[in-house]
Amino acid sequence: MGGNSLLERTLDSRLAPIYRKVVAGQRLTFDDGVTLMTHPSLFAVGQLANLARRMRVGDRVYFNNNAHINYSNVCAIHCKFCAFGQSRRSSKAYTLTIEQIVAKAREAVAKGATELHMVGGLHPDLPWEWYPEMLRAVKAACPGAHLKCFTAIELIHFTRISGLTLEQVLLTLKEAGLGSIPGGGAEIFAPRVREAICKPKETAEEWLHVHDTAHRLGLRSNATMLYGTVETPEERVDHLVRLREQQDRSGGFQAFIPLRFHPENTNLGHLPGPTGYDDLRVIAVGRLMLDNFPHIKSYWIASSPAIAQVSLHFGANDIDGTVREEKIYHMAGARTAQYTELQQLLRMIWEAGRIPAERNTVYEVIREYPAEPDPDLVAAGAIRGYTVE
Ligand code: V47
């Protein structure tokens, strides 16, 4: 697939060389990333990202039917950006029993969920044995569900409470039903930002080491970036470059998911939070810089369904998901819903002129949809926002 000479003629002298690299499939440099992250025309950056997306992954947009289960919000560390984690004596603290987790899992799977995304805080009291036992119980109740569980930070916590090596922790969890690892806990890799927003948290090197180890053990994972706190454009690009280098080494990342910072109820509540421009910018620059990541995922819970939909023209090819119940963002003031109907996701994708495909966690297509809304569904009133001609 070639370039677009009309697009090239609209680009200025800073973006034109980047356009030529994108068309030639060449890797962008750190400096290119900073240019993209700061260029006054977000629209032009978005067009480059849309071109890169089309060349690399085509017009299909993935979504999945998933459920988030936050097994506990009790957390031994206190990151300034987080409203979810609570000390064990807080009135907002909770820990689900394994029976409650299994009940939530069953309910979600009965409604079509193929993925259970389960994360929590760094619980100071739960013993290590609880975690594989919990996975085994969920897997026994829902054998077909993919268990995407535990951030790199939780996994390091497990090594401390178990005395096991990281490999042993991962292999034990894998044996108990762990299917892959979500991308949380990455925040921004730059030490200056980590010091300011999540001082007690592990370093970038430690986060990357967990994903490296997981990939080498055959587990796939995702990568995130929390944006809109105190990071500079250069620190965002540094984060992307470090993810790209890790992917070159171990190859197991499936998706990059930028996470919009929500300030409410956090110790960074004085910050204004990111803008819509930031939301689209990080998706676009993520697509352009991460040439070895197949999927750029828009998390509508964090950014809003409207931004997630528009992001499909700024480099994204994946929308997360039906979700169901969400705590991390809603405790930090997110006003988005906690669940979206499948039909609503389809509408968002079709209206953006793209082709929906329901996927499982490892991006196998479960159901293909036509390029246009199905006239029978429209006639039946099942696709909101569409009327029959
Ligand atoms: O690690 C916490 C972030 C992450 C706030 O892998 C906050 O498919 C904004 O990682 N404002 C958890 N962000 C969520 C996450 C995730 C979400 C969707 C899909 C996947 C995936 C992963 O949420 C945390 C942290 O970076 N976070 N508090 C806050 N106040």
Side-chain angles (χ1 to χ4, degrees):
M1 215 173 301
N4 174 338
S5 57
L6 182 63
L7 168 60
E8 186 176 12
R9 271 182 273 134
T10 66
L11 297 172
D12 67 11
S13 60
R14 295 169 71 205
L15 291 184
I18 298 180
Y19 165 84
R20 286 192 285 276
K21 286 190 195 175
V22 171
V23 171
Q26 284 168 12
R27 180 156 277 196
L28 303 184
T29 63
F30 175 86
D31 289 343
D32 293 333
V34 175
T35 299
L36 293 163
M37 203 60 95
T38 53
H39 193 279
S41 176
L42 171 66
F43 187 59
V45 172
Q47 283 183 299
L48 292 181
N50 199 38
L51 175 66
R53 185 271 306 159
R54 193 149 39 82
M55 289 172 63
R56 284 180 206 151
V57 291
D59 281 341
R60 181 183 270 172
V61 172
Y62 293 98
F63 64 91
N64 70 349
N65 191 329
N66 62 347
H68 286 217
I69 302 177
N70 298 127
Y71 58 86
S72 172
N73 65 349
V74 179
C75 192
I77 63 170
H78 299 286
C79 296
K80 282 191 180 169
F81 67 80
C82 181
F84 172 72
Q86 303 289 321
S87 61
R88 58 158 96 74
R89 274 180 292 279
S90 156
S91 60
K92 293 191 217 149
Y94 73 87
T95 302
L96 302 179
T97 62
I98 291 182
E99 291 69 34
Q100 287 170 322
I101 296 167
V102 168
K104 280 181 188 290
R106 273 191 210 279
E107 193 189 326
V109 169
K111 290 184 183 146
T114 60
E115 169 185 291
L116 300 170
H117 177 155
M118 301 199 283
V119 296
L122 307 185
H123 202 294
D125 308 315
L126 284 176
W128 151 243
E129 292 72 24
W130 186 87
Y131 298 93
E133 191 186 325
M134 186 266 279
L135 292 190
R136 270 192 288 272
V138 173
K139 201 70 187 170
C142 310
H146 180 107
L147 308 187
K148 184 179 81 176
C149 312
F150 310 127
T151 66
I153 308 300
E154 287 167 279
L155 292 164
I156 294 171
H157 174 69
F158 299 161
T159 64
R160 299 208 176 104
I161 60 174
S162 66
L164 299 175
T165 63
L166 183 60
E167 283 83 354
Q168 288 168 328
V169 161
L170 284 166
L171 287 171
T172 307
L173 294 173
K174 195 175 171 200
E175 210 252 330
L178 182 71
S180 65
I181 294 171
E187 321 317 353
I188 289 272
F189 289 146
R192 185 194 74 85
V193 181
R194 288 186 105 70
E195 173 81 17
I197 70 169
C198 55
K199 195 168 178 201
K201 197 166 256 184
E202 277 69 15
T203 60
E205 289 71 22
E206 288 166 302
W207 188 95
L208 291 165
H209 174 65
V210 172
H211 286 262
D212 185 88
T213 309
H215 295 173
R216 290 182 200 290
L217 295 176
L219 290 160
R220 298 196 209 170
S221 72
N222 290 334
T224 59
M225 176 174 81
L226 176 70
Y227 63 92
T229 62
V230 298
E231 80 283 358
T232 62
E234 288 78 8
E235 285 162 339
R236 287 181 183 173
V237 176
D238 169 68
H239 189 96
L240 296 174
V241 169
R242 296 188 68 163
L243 287 177
R244 187 171 74 183
E245 287 168 356
Q246 182 59 51
Q247 181 75 329
D248 279 345
R249 285 192 291 272
S250 56
F253 288 122
Q254 302 196 106
F256 170 64
I257 311 135
L259 295 173
R260 163 182 249 267
F261 172 53
H262 284 253
E264 227 174 275
N265 305 322
T266 75
N267 285 336
L268 297 174
H270 58 285
L271 294 176
T275 63
Y277 260 54
D278 288 316
D279 295 328
L280 294 172
R281 176 90 65 176
V282 290
I283 289 273
V285 184
R287 168 60 74 193
L288 286 160
M289 292 302 289
L290 296 176
D291 53 22
N292 51 6
F293 275 61
H295 308 293
I296 305 294
K297 181 157 87 173
S298 254
Y299 186 40
W300 64 267
I301 287 270
S303 67
S304 81
I307 288 280
Q309 185 188 34
V310 177
S311 77
L312 298 179
H313 281 268
F314 282 75
N317 70 325
D318 189 8
I319 297 188
D320 190 347
T322 52
V323 179
R324 300 202 153 71
E325 178 183 276
E326 200 286 331
K327 291 211 159 35
I328 298 175
Y329 283 83
H330 288 84
M331 287 183 84
R335 306 272 181 266
T336 47
Q338 300 209 15
Y339 173 62
T340 190
E341 297 279 341
L342 215 59
Q343 297 303 341
Q344 181 67 11
L345 286 174
L346 291 173
R347 178 191 172 192
M348 284 159 67
I349 298 167
W350 272 323
E351 206 176 62
R354 306 278 288 285
I355 307 161
E358 182 180 344
R359 63 165 176 87
N360 65 13
T361 309
V362 294
Y363 288 82
E364 289 161 352
V365 173
I366 296 175
R367 182 165 173 196
E368 302 249 29
Y369 287 83
E372 303 280 336
D374 180 335
D376 291 340
L377 288 177
V378 173
I383 314 281
R384 269 182 282 153
Y386 281 91
T387 47
V388 213
E389 294 287 313

